[in-house]
Amino acid sequence: MAGSLLIRFNVAIHRLELAIATVLGRRSPPDGLCLAGVPIQEHQPRPASAFSLKDLLGDGFLWGVPTARRTIERRLKRKFGDPYYIEKILKPKTNIRTCNTCGDDHLAGVLCPTCYKKVIDETKEMQEAIQNELQLTPVEQEVAVLYEGEKDEKPDDFWEGKR
Amino acid sequence: MNQADVAKLVSQLRIKVNPRLRKFRSPGGPEERLNKLRKTVTALIKHERLELNYPRADESRMYAERLISDAIRYGDCHKETMEMADYWLIEKQLVHKLFKVLVPRFANYNTAYTKIYKAPTIHPETRLKAVLELRGNPYPPLLPDMHHNRNLIHNVLLDEAKKAYRTRKYAEIAAKIDAAGQNATEETSK
């Protein structure tokens, strides 16, 4: 029993040595595995090949390519248009209306551009003037925007409660 | 099932409230979406008329209407409403404006507090643009006032009703004068 223990102990140590040898140096086969007469081959360093796109992209053999011929119907539809595919006929717009105020045309449901431009320019000027006047003071009263001489046109209680 | 009556928890908003959120492609997630909406609501209350893209205008309109309706319903002494206004209005002078100017203005309104219009776009701009404004703002109106247009049906009907009433009244007065004149002649003939 002692003898087998000793043998097992020796085997374990031998294995440990082999393991250490492989961990430390992979350059040559471990001493026990060397054949007599055969030279030790050093591990060749891998050649550093230049990077080329071919390695990355390949030949394109498996890329997305057409698998079937486009039928003449499909080709004609792409060329000339089809109601279920792609419409290529010019259609008149039926949602144009005339503005009652200025007489210009605009799309239905949307504000007239000329009238809108006038109003929005004036609004922007008024907004600038208001912000210059108020700055960051707490707003506690309604703001009324006056033009020159407008204050005298209306009676005084119209302006009551407004800045 | 016995469903609790939740209809009275929030004031009825007089606009169409979309139950689905618009995410707005915010890279910062829902927090960024809310920040952007906060800026829009603040700007709306500050300037009272804004030009922006339609989806953002539509979304911030819902939040603005809810804020104003809560301010009207609870007033400024209510803690939760004040916290809500403090969150939504980045510039704090507008909290004063909300409770002192907008609440009295909108207190007795039967319509919505905001209005949204589709703004014209110049090619190649294809995104739908909008103008969002508070009602009762001091700026010139975007759409002409058609209340006094005599050709609209409500005015046509009202004018005809007035005419009919007037002719009836004149006929009554004429009848009274005739009756009074006849009595006078009867007395003199007696």
Side-chain angles (χ1 to χ4, degrees), chain B residues 3-123:
Chain B
Q3 174 65 37
D5 185 19
V6 293
K8 299 286 161 69
L9 287 178
V10 177
S11 307
Q12 174 79 44
L13 296 181
R14 292 173 197 105
I15 53 168
K16 186 167 170 235
V17 174
N18 192 2
R20 207 213 269 188
L21 294 178
R22 274 186 251 245
K23 287 188 194 170
F24 288 127
R25 260 191 215 187
S26 19
E31 201 185 327
E32 193 194 313
R33 172 186 169 274
L34 275 178
N35 278 337
K36 285 205 167 167
L37 286 169
R38 253 207 298 182
K39 287 182 195 171
T40 315
V41 170
T42 309
L44 174 65
I45 298 213
K46 182 170 177 179
H47 295 124
E48 299 198 29
R49 186 179 278 176
L50 296 180
E51 288 179 284
L52 58 171
N53 295 332
Y54 189 88
R56 189 167 296 283
D58 205 28
E59 198 79 359
S60 42
R61 190 184 184 205
M62 293 195 263
Y63 288 96
E65 291 259 341
R66 171 69 190 270
L67 181 67
I68 296 170
S69 73
D70 273 357
I72 292 170
R73 188 179 166 126
Y74 297 113
D76 56 352
C77 294
H78 192 236
K79 189 175 169 222
E80 284 85 3
T81 312
M82 189 48 94
E83 280 176 7
M84 191 74 90
D86 182 48
Y87 176 82
W88 279 99
L89 302 173
I90 297 168
E91 294 176 31
K92 302 305 166 194
Q93 80 272 18
L94 300 170
V95 179
H96 291 263
K97 180 168 180 180
L98 173 69
F99 289 109
K100 293 180 188 170
V101 175
L102 297 182
V103 165
R105 195 204 280 185
F106 294 133
N108 296 321
Y109 263 48
N110 294 324
T111 56
Y113 314 123
T114 56
K115 212 164 189 314
I116 190 166
Y117 300 94
K118 288 196 196 118
T121 59
I122 306 165
H123 184 77

Side-chain angles (χ1 to χ4, degrees), chain A residues 1-9:
Chain A
M1 192 185 76
S4 69
L5 258 178
L6 210 63
I7 289 163
R8 279 166 73 175
F9 189 63

Side-chain angles (χ1 to χ4, degrees), chain A residues 111 116 123 127 140 142, chain B residues 49 51 100 105 118 139:
Chain A
L111 301 171
Y116 173 71
T123 309
Q127 281 172 348
E140 284 168 16
E142 291 269 2
Chain B
R49 186 179 278 176
E51 288 179 284
K100 293 180 188 170
R105 195 204 280 185
K118 288 196 196 118
Y139 311 121

